Each structure stands twice: as structure tokens, then as C-alpha cells.
Amino acid sequence: EEEKKDEKKEEEKNSEEKKDENKEESKKDDKNATETKTVPDKPVIVKETLKLSTLHFGIPKIENNSPSKEKLAALKKIDDDKRETEKSRNNLESYVINMKVLLEEDDLYRAASTEEELEKMQEALRAETDWLEEESWGETFVVFNARLAKIEDYCDPVTKRVDEMKARPSAIADLKQAFNLTEQFLQKIYNQTEELRYHTATELENLEKLMTSTKEWLETTTAAQDALPKNVDPVLKLEAMTTKRTALERDLYYLVRKPIPQWYKDKLKSMMDALKNSTKTEEEDEEDY
């Protein structure tokens, strides 16, 4: 009986072990099945040809020879002409207003005008004012520019006299300053011995002659100008004074900037060496004494 019991126990034990093995195999199968499900499929590449088309929004593109481009160019010209016309009209109006004020209030302009010129200018300015107020609307910049040039012709003689009178004192002062600089340069050269001069006698003489002749011209022309009334074209003009001053300064600066020749440098060195030796000898004599 005991042997039967033992056999029975052993069979039960074997039966339990088999159950455990079956459970483990079942778990393994479930795990393999899960892993099989999580593996992704290999992607498949599909190529297709796509057809594209371009759609433009906004202002359409204008071809080179299209009527639209010509129309835009014509519109631009209209705008440009309009701006130019407004500018020309403003220029004419400003000139007329300024000249009327100057002729009425500026003593210098009135003094520079003869009675006939003053009356002629005032009449022309009044006529231009009336035209601007009543008849100028719709005119082009070509008309405004032409009328401005015409009214300037009436006023230019007086305007130029005034400009000359205003700028004359400064121009005379500039010319006299050129005289002073030239005199200082020549005096400095003449104070040196001939051994220390590297400017030729002809160069110095020509500069002095030019300065003297320009001085005489200024004195003579200034006296003639002072004798003239202010409403007559001047004889002492800015352009002439500028030309003469430029000529004098050109010759002066040429001599001032003239390169020092080598022989002059050698002579100066020799004179300096002789001076040093003389000074040294005198000092030695004093020491011996």
C-alpha cells in the first residue's frame, strides 16, 4: 500500500511539472506573437510624375511691346510734365514777387536803376502778375520758363550792378592781400645777400613788374569807378579783379614753392661748416688765453 501511495505522489508531481512546462511554452508563444506584431512592415516607395502650373496674382506681367507699357509711359510723362509745370510756375511767381519787393524797398536796387529802367521793370512785373492770376492756368512749363527768361532780361542789368556793388569791397580786399604777400616775399629775398638767393633776377623782376602794373590798374580803375553814378554799368568789375589776382598769386606761389637746387644746399652746408669751425677756433683761443 505504501508503494502505491508513493507511485501516486510521483504521478501527481509529474503532472504538475508538465502543467508548468505547458504554461511556460504558452508564455513563450504569446511573447513571440507580440514581437511579430510590433515589427513594422518595410516601406514601399511609389514614384509618380506631378504636373505643376503657375498662377500669378496681382498686377499681370507687362510684355516689352505691349500697349499697357506704352500707356504707363504716357501716364508717367503726364505726371512729370505736371510736376515740371508746377515748379516752373513757382519759379516765375517767386521771381516776380521778390523783384517787386526789391524795387520798392531796397535802396540799393533803386539807386542802381535809371528812372527809365525802373519804370520799365515795374511795368513788366505788373503785367506778369496779371498774366499769372488771369491767363496762366493750363499753360505748360515751356511757357513759364520762356516768360521767366524774358522778365529776367528786363531786370538783369540792374541786378548785375547790385551784385557788383555788394561784392566789390571784398574783391578789392583780396587783391590788396595779394599785393601784401608779394611785397613781403620780395622784401625777404632782397634782404638776403646774392649768395643766399636761388631765385633768378629775372624771376624777381617779372614778379615785381606784375605787382606794380596790377596796383596801377587798380588805382586807376577805382578812381574811374568812383566817378561813375551807381546806375551805370561798372568799369571795375569782379571778373577782371579775380583774373588779375589769380595771375599775381600764380607767379608768387611759383617762386615760393620753387625747389631748392642742389648747389644752393651745398653752399649753405659749406657756409655752416665754416661758421662752426670759426666758432670752435674762437673758443679754443679763449681757453688758451
Side-chain angles (χ1 to χ4, degrees), residues 53-64:
S53 61
T54 304
L55 180 62
H56 294 280
F57 293 93
I59 300 174
K61 185 177 179 181
I62 301 175
E63 300 297 334
N64 291 333

Side-chain angles (χ1 to χ4, degrees), residues 13 25 54 63 71 77 82 175 189 194 198 213 232:
K13 184 178 180 180
E25 290 178 358
T54 304
E63 300 297 334
K71 186 176 181 180
K77 186 178 184 306
K82 182 179 179 181
L175 187 53
I189 298 298
E194 292 186 2
Y198 60 90
S213 64
V232 176

Side-chain angles (χ1 to χ4, degrees), residues 44-131:
V44 178
I45 299 175
V46 178
K47 294 182 179 180
E48 293 183 1
T49 302
L50 299 178
K51 295 182 179 180
L52 300 178
S53 61
T54 304
L55 180 62
H56 294 280
F57 293 93
I59 300 174
K61 185 177 179 181
I62 301 175
E63 300 297 334
N64 291 333
N65 298 322
S66 66
S68 299
K69 186 175 182 180
E70 295 176 359
K71 186 176 181 180
L72 289 176
L75 292 174
K76 182 179 182 301
K77 186 178 184 306
I78 292 173
D79 291 339
D80 292 343
D81 289 349
K82 182 179 179 181
R83 283 192 293 268
E84 188 65 25
T85 298
E86 291 175 355
K87 179 182 175 182
S88 300
R89 180 188 180 87
N90 290 336
N91 290 341
L92 178 58
E93 289 179 339
S94 298
Y95 185 85
V96 170
I97 292 171
N98 290 338
M99 283 304 303
K100 288 176 71 174
V101 172
L102 290 172
L103 294 178
E104 291 173 2
E105 302 179 2
D106 194 313
D107 293 337
L108 199 56
Y109 272 84
R110 297 184 68 85
S113 309
T114 64
E115 292 184 4
E116 182 181 355
E117 287 173 333
L118 186 60
E119 183 179 350
K120 185 178 179 180
M121 287 187 295
Q122 289 176 336
E123 182 180 352
L125 292 170
R126 284 194 296 268
E128 204 64 31
T129 301
D130 294 340
W131 181 83

Side-chain angles (χ1 to χ4, degrees), residues 107-113 158-170 225 229-232 234 236 238:
D107 293 337
L108 199 56
Y109 272 84
R110 297 184 68 85
S113 309
V158 175
T159 301
K160 288 179 179 178
R161 288 176 205 150
V162 173
D163 292 341
E164 289 277 345
M165 282 190 284
K166 288 181 177 180
R168 188 178 298 128
S170 177
Q225 179 62 47
K230 293 181 179 180
N231 58 8
V232 176
L236 181 59
L238 301 176

